[in-house]
Amino acid sequence: MTRIAAVHGALPPHRHTQREVTDMVARTCLPPGADRRVLDRLHENARVRTRHTVLPLDGYRDLDGFGASNDVFIRSAVDLGAQAVRGALRAAGLRPTDVDLLMFTSVTGIAAPSVDARLVTRLGMRSDVKRLPVFGLGCVAGAAGTARLHDYLLGRPDDVAVLLSVELCSLTFQCHDASPANLVATALFGDGAAAVVALGGRRAVSGPEIMATRSRMYPDTEHVMGWDIGSTGFTVVLDPAVPDVVRRYLADDVREFLDEHGLKPKDIAHWVCHPGGPKVLETVTEVLDLPDGALDVTWRSLADVGNLSSSSVLHVLRDTIEQRRPEPGTPGLLLAMGPGFCCELVLLRW
């Protein structure tokens, strides 16, 4: 089976309190003299204390349109991505030339050549490394990308595969947009990156073992989450019905998936859950009947860095490995949801 040899997270240098971000959003998104009580309440209820951004807060007002924002995305994604991949390979005891597959995912910017292509020479990877850039999966991509590494390595058990996620959500915030969806996005999302190194079954390595995966698309939910893309860039689509979709579908999917492997939710020792936001996490806890503290690592990640889209669940995975130190042989479940609307489940054995 595939094993996860290392997970490494990277954050940009500019760190802000939630209050500092709220004040910036009030200056840039609300009309002059507008009542900001709704904004303040949304940001306070997000359960986020601090976040990181690729630019200083006063740098966003100088971005002139999508082109300028995307130029920052490309430059910063390459820098932050290189940091994440180097850290993960170092932790795994591997070199860039050992990598056989580099998968890159993001939903906060676009580039051709893709970010992974720009990293091959910079990191010193082999010229025959296989690359797979993925766009559009959004928050689910950290889990889905990990699952697709597993799919690849099942067929190539001698290989090394790397997933890189870079999400620079601050570059998608829309100035002069006081819509509820934009204000919620500015309350939750931050910038960050993460890299996962996974090894095929014929390579001896310690680390969590990927036992099985499950993908699930939900009918008639395309409108729930995503982007409208126009001249000003990425405008968030974020329907208040997201928790309702989670409540309707997630429990059955998780229970059926675990049942196929002789497990029940109460058997899962560690839940590695994407921090979609307070309402989503409360709904996950409710429908799965999770014990107190089951999502503590996820809540802590949300508070410390915000929602990093696809990078978030990988930060939670890293923190679980480093801080919770799961007992060998115990089962864990990595899960995330995102545009589609969809869910990805990855069954782990520590």
Side-chain angles (χ1 to χ4, degrees):
M1 287 293 178
T2 302
R3 285 194 180 269
I4 296 172
V7 185
H8 186 79
L11 297 167
H14 305 288
R15 183 171 181 265
H16 320 282
T17 65
Q18 182 77 328
R19 172 52 60 180
E20 290 169 334
V21 177
T22 306
D23 290 343
M24 181 272 282
V25 173
R27 293 192 300 270
T28 58
C29 295
L30 300 184
D35 187 341
R36 57 177 282 177
R37 283 179 292 182
V38 171
L39 171 67
D40 289 337
R41 185 169 65 252
L42 287 172
H43 278 233
E44 288 168 4
N45 292 340
R47 304 276 294 271
V48 176
R49 291 195 302 261
T50 56
R51 279 181 282 171
H52 294 250
T53 60
V54 292
L55 295 176
L57 291 181
D58 59 4
Y60 290 87
R61 63 189 176 194
D62 299 326
L63 295 175
D64 184 18
F66 178 43
S69 296
N70 202 62
D71 286 344
V72 175
F73 170 83
I74 294 172
R75 182 172 63 251
S76 301
V78 171
D79 290 342
L80 205 60
Q83 181 182 338
V85 173
R86 284 194 184 107
L89 290 173
R90 188 182 308 115
L94 296 170
R95 300 166 298 176
T97 51
D98 294 320
V99 177
D100 300 291
L101 171 72
L102 175 61
M103 181 185 299
F104 171 73
T105 187
S106 182
V107 75
T108 53
I110 54 176
S114 53
V115 169
D116 49 288
R118 297 165 193 256
L119 285 171
V120 169
T121 300
R122 177 163 174 169
L123 293 175
M125 292 180 172
R126 303 192 316 264
S127 61
D128 67 342
V129 66
K130 292 174 278 292
R131 297 184 297 104
L132 184 60
V134 177
F135 178 86
L137 286 173
C139 294
V140 79
T146 301
R148 300 295 80 79
L149 293 189
H150 174 61
D151 294 342
Y152 169 82
L153 290 168
L154 285 177
R156 294 179 176 269
D158 294 310
D159 278 13
V160 174
V162 173
L163 168 67
L164 170 63
S165 160
V166 182
E167 300 287 13
L168 306 182
C169 304
S170 66
L171 296 173
T172 70
F173 296 164
Q174 295 291 309
C175 294
H176 314 301
D177 179 359
S179 67
N182 190 55
L183 297 185
V184 169
T186 64
L188 282 173
F189 289 97
D191 296 347
V196 176
V197 178
L199 275 63
R202 286 208 287 255
R203 283 179 167 264
V205 64
S206 61
E209 186 176 7
I210 299 177
M211 302 299 296
T213 70
R214 170 69 57 83
S215 303
R216 184 69 77 198
M217 290 279 294
Y218 301 132
D220 302 319
T221 57
E222 295 90 345
H223 65 283
V224 168
M225 181 183 291
W227 299 116
D228 288 331
I229 303 175
S231 60
T232 61
F234 297 90
T235 301
V236 69
V237 175
L238 195 58
D239 196 297
V242 169
D244 296 330
V245 177
V246 175
R247 181 174 289 106
R248 181 176 181 182
Y249 293 108
L250 182 66
D252 286 344
D253 283 341
V254 169
R255 292 190 177 106
E256 290 173 8
F257 178 55
L258 293 179
D259 186 63
E260 291 175 4
H261 301 279
L263 296 168
K264 298 184 182 304
K266 66 181 178 60
D267 299 320
I268 299 300
H270 292 278
W271 294 86
V272 182
C273 182
H274 168 71
K279 291 183 179 179
V280 171
L281 292 181
E282 289 164 0
T283 303
V284 170
T285 301
E286 173 194 335
V287 299
L288 295 177
D289 194 24
L290 298 183
D292 292 344
L295 299 185
D296 278 358
V297 178
T298 294
W299 281 107
R300 192 176 307 120
S301 183
L302 179 66
D304 291 345
V305 297
N307 182 336
L308 306 179
S309 190
S310 67
S311 300
S312 260
V313 76
L314 304 181
H315 278 247
V316 175
L317 176 60
R318 177 206 60 191
D319 293 345
T320 301
I321 294 170
E322 294 180 355
Q323 299 171 12
R324 285 295 181 98
R325 301 192 180 191
E327 290 293 324
T330 56
L333 188 69
L334 185 150
L335 67 99
M337 292 157 282
F341 191 75
C342 64
C343 176
E344 195 82 26
L345 306 174
V346 180
L347 181 61
L348 304 171
R349 182 167 62 194
W350 302 106

